[in-house]
Amino acid sequence: MSGEQGKKGSLRTLALMVPSAAIGGTLQYGYNLSIMNAPTTYVQNFINETFTDRWGVRLNVYQVTLVWSFIVSIFSLGGLTGALIAGPMSIRFGRKKTLLLNNVFLMLSSLLALTSRAARSFEMILLSRVLVGINAGISMNVQPMYFGECAPKHLRGMLSLSSAIFTSFGVVLGQVVGLREILGSESCWEYLLASNGIPGFIQLLTLPWFPESPRYLLIDRGDKEACFKALWRLRGCEVSQSEVDEILQEKAQSEGIRPRQPWELFRDRSVRWQLLSIIVISSAMQLCGNDSAGIPADMIQYITIGTGSCEFLACIVSTLLIERMGRKVLLMGGYILMTVWAVVFTVALCLEHKVAWMPYLSMACLFTYILSFGMGPAGVTGVLPTEIFTQAARPAAYMIAGFLMWFCLFILGMIFPFLVSSLGQFCFVPFSIVCLLTALYVGLNLPETKGKTLTVIASEFDRMNFKKAGSAETQPTRALYQLGEVCQTTSF
């Protein structure tokens, strides 16, 4: 095979692998968030009818709303559970096999939702939401890890960012499928809730044909032959020696080191700044208020359609820019723009009764806020754990990041109504503060990772973690693979 043919084959394999993994992965997160909007009234009526049939009691409006809110919000608790088990699963079964096994939760969820109406059981819908939340929590952690470990250095950011594209595409797809003309009618709501099984079924048919992560095969499993075979399939005939040397070097560094547990990272000085960065950025992704709107009821239908499309478009643009502008610029720039739009939005809310065109400015601010989020934090946040942690610490890092994102999403959903009622038009001020502080942290403390090998990135963080110690002897000893031999060093 010629060099040009090898390159085309490589790009084709990667291009096909991405939708195969994502259609049953992060797409499910966005899809299962958005499909719950359309059947709200129908499921609430079903809950009331179920209580009446069983106990002859008809619930009050606030009681039905409480049960429905619990059904919706328990998705986040399922996601939190999935984030916690994603790390151990990805270590034990591998990245690809974990994504395939994850469909067990999805198919059970789909089956429960499909049969809930015939069984006259709203509890089955509740359990279905828990299971699909677990599915989303696992995929949101494992899929970016899988993409980051399979991609060549110059495409690592782009492939990892595609996870965010499929999340936003899932939101738009769920809104379309939830239209009354498709599955959003009273007679079809159970099929709408069960429709998430179709993408999972497609993944089960297609993903087994693609290779496992080469880094996982060599570093975690010690299977050099399988690693090189996976690299050959992903790169065609153009497996660069520098890429092979980088993976071998990381294996040498990980020699004799077992996979880390999340609590061990908190005691390890060598990952202090990496861990702090993940904590700040993962928490900020939810606490920035992107999933909160506080908009009038008569505007919801327009905002729902527009925001999903905006975030999808922004993620596509971010994918095209990430390897040109870098992670740091997109992340910091996104949060700075979000700070500006949050301030303008607050001013517009304060003046909407005095200036006739202010409501239009408020709506424009919501769209630009989401565009800024999509072009920076939405995608870059998922890329970072792959790039700034070693193979041994990466699954634990994703567990911590996933736990924080789902926990903060749950907390924000609980407190946002109280923020609106207590702060009124100033409800976005706390979000603007979060965005500003995060932008400052990224600008001052996060190194750029664009185009760098994982070993070079690790060395930059070593200098930060041991800067105050002032001597090379305090830095961790790292093993370097070099021309077929292993040597010990404390600097790069």
Side-chain angles (χ1 to χ4, degrees):
M1 183 183 294
S2 68
E4 185 179 355
Q5 289 175 324
K7 185 175 181 180
K8 289 182 178 178
S10 165
L11 294 176
R12 184 166 57 248
T13 301
L14 287 173
L16 292 174
M17 184 194 75
V18 168
S20 175
I23 196 171
T26 54
L27 179 140
Q28 293 288 350
Y29 171 67
Y31 187 79
N32 286 289
L33 278 179
S34 61
I35 62 172
M36 295 303 288
N37 295 325
T40 299
T41 303
Y42 309 132
V43 177
Q44 287 179 345
N45 291 336
F46 173 69
I47 293 170
N48 221 335
E49 292 169 3
T50 303
F51 268 85
T52 304
D53 292 344
R54 290 181 185 176
W55 300 291
V57 175
R58 189 161 186 85
L59 299 177
N60 296 323
V61 174
Y62 81 90
Q63 292 174 318
V64 175
T65 304
L66 180 63
V67 175
W68 171 248
S69 300
F70 190 60
I71 289 174
V72 173
S73 62
I74 205 168
F75 175 74
S76 299
L77 297 180
L80 191 151
T81 304
L84 292 178
I85 65 176
M89 284 185 68
S90 66
I91 294 170
R92 181 179 178 86
F93 301 111
R95 293 19 169 176
K96 186 184 80 170
K97 191 175 289 186
T98 296
L99 290 173
L100 291 171
L101 290 173
N102 193 27
N103 285 291
V104 172
F105 299 108
L106 179 65
M107 294 305 175
L108 287 174
S109 166
S110 183
L111 180 63
L112 287 170
L114 183 63
T115 56
S116 60
R117 192 173 194 172
R120 308 296 295 171
S121 172
F122 67 88
E123 296 90 348
M124 293 173 69
I125 302 176
L126 183 69
L127 183 57
S128 169
R129 292 296 290 176
V130 174
L131 291 173
V132 80
I134 294 174
N135 170 270
I138 293 173
S139 63
M140 291 288 284
N141 279 13
V142 178
Q143 183 183 305
M145 195 188 317
Y146 180 47
F147 286 175
E149 293 178 358
C150 286
K153 180 177 61 176
H154 66 284
L155 293 177
R156 193 171 59 223
M158 184 180 293
L159 254 68
S160 297
L161 195 58
S162 64
S163 298
I165 291 180
F166 278 90
T167 298
S168 56
F169 176 66
V171 172
V172 177
L173 182 63
Q175 292 166 353
V176 173
V177 176
L179 290 174
R180 188 177 294 106
E181 294 78 8
I182 304 179
L183 292 180
S185 62
E186 195 279 334
S187 60
C188 296
W189 62 260
E190 71 270 30
Y191 300 107
L192 174 62
L193 298 183
S195 61
N196 51 24
I198 297 174
F201 182 71
I202 295 174
Q203 184 185 73
L204 287 172
L205 292 178
T206 58
L207 189 58
W209 298 97
F210 294 96
E212 177 59 89
S213 157
R215 290 179 182 274
Y216 172 80
L217 291 172
L218 180 61
I219 300 174
D220 289 88
R221 291 302 184 196
D223 192 338
K224 189 173 181 179
E225 181 179 349
C227 169
F228 289 164
K229 184 178 179 180
L231 278 174
W232 183 86
R233 290 185 62 192
L234 290 167
R235 310 288 186 268
C237 291
E238 297 185 351
V239 182
S240 75
Q241 186 60 41
S242 61
E243 183 175 11
V244 174
D245 288 342
E246 181 200 347
I247 299 176
L248 290 171
Q249 184 168 311
E250 188 173 359
K251 175 176 171 55
Q253 294 173 4
S254 305
E255 202 71 46
I257 301 177
R258 60 175 177 79
R260 311 293 294 279
Q261 298 297 329
W263 54 87
E264 294 176 332
L265 300 186
F266 288 93
R267 300 196 300 262
D268 188 350
R269 181 177 179 178
S270 66
V271 296
R272 178 179 299 170
W273 279 103
Q274 295 97 310
L275 185 60
L276 182 59
S277 298
I278 290 302
I279 290 174
V280 170
I281 295 170
S282 299
S283 300
M285 183 177 177
Q286 299 297 348
L287 297 179
C288 67
N290 180 68
D291 294 318
S292 306
I295 55 178
D298 59 345
M299 296 168 62
I300 287 178
Q301 57 180 325
Y302 307 107
I303 297 295
T304 301
I305 295 172
T307 54
S309 301
C310 274
E311 188 167 342
F312 180 51
L313 176 63
C315 288
I316 293 176
V317 174
S318 181
T319 302
L320 300 175
L321 294 177
I322 189 169
E323 296 299 348
R324 293 174 177 267
M325 300 180 64
R327 288 66 157 153
K328 186 172 183 176
V329 172
L330 288 180
L331 196 58
M332 183 173 61
Y335 279 118
I336 290 174
L337 288 175
M338 291 170 72
T339 304
V340 172
W341 298 128
V343 172
V344 176
F345 181 61
T346 301
V347 173
L349 288 179
C350 292
L351 299 177
E352 65 178 356
H353 297 298
K354 299 179 181 179
V355 182
W357 50 268
M358 278 297 168
Y360 300 101
L361 179 60
S362 300
M363 186 181 297
C365 286
L366 287 177
F367 279 96
T368 52
Y369 194 84
I370 291 171
L371 279 170
S372 303
F373 175 80
M375 291 183 66
V380 180
T381 302
V383 177
L384 288 178
T386 296
E387 297 188 322
I388 68 177
F389 284 92
T390 62
Q391 188 81 5
R394 196 171 294 134
Y398 267 106
M399 288 172 64
I400 294 172
F403 173 85
L404 288 170
M405 283 193 286
W406 286 99
F407 179 74
C408 290
L409 177 63
F410 178 77
I411 293 299
L412 183 61
M414 296 291 291
I415 68 172
F416 184 70
F418 298 99
L419 285 178
V420 174
S421 61
S422 59
L423 297 180
Q425 62 267 39
F426 299 102
C427 61
F428 260 66
V429 171
F431 301 141
S432 66
I433 295 173
V434 170
C435 292
L436 179 60
L437 293 177
T438 306
L440 288 174
Y441 176 87
V442 171
L444 296 175
N445 298 303
L446 187 67
E448 178 56 71
T449 59
K450 181 191 73 171
K452 298 177 181 177
T453 65
L454 301 184
T455 304
V456 170
I457 296 170
S459 70
E460 292 187 10
F461 273 103
D462 279 346
R463 287 193 289 271
M464 294 173 61
N465 291 323
F466 297 93
K467 180 170 57 177
K468 293 184 178 180
S471 66
E473 286 75 11
T474 60
Q475 295 188 22
T477 299
R478 296 185 178 274
L480 292 182
Y481 168 84
Q482 210 170 45
L483 299 177
E485 56 182 310
V486 175
C487 59
Q488 302 293 326
T489 183
T490 56
S491 61
F492 294 90

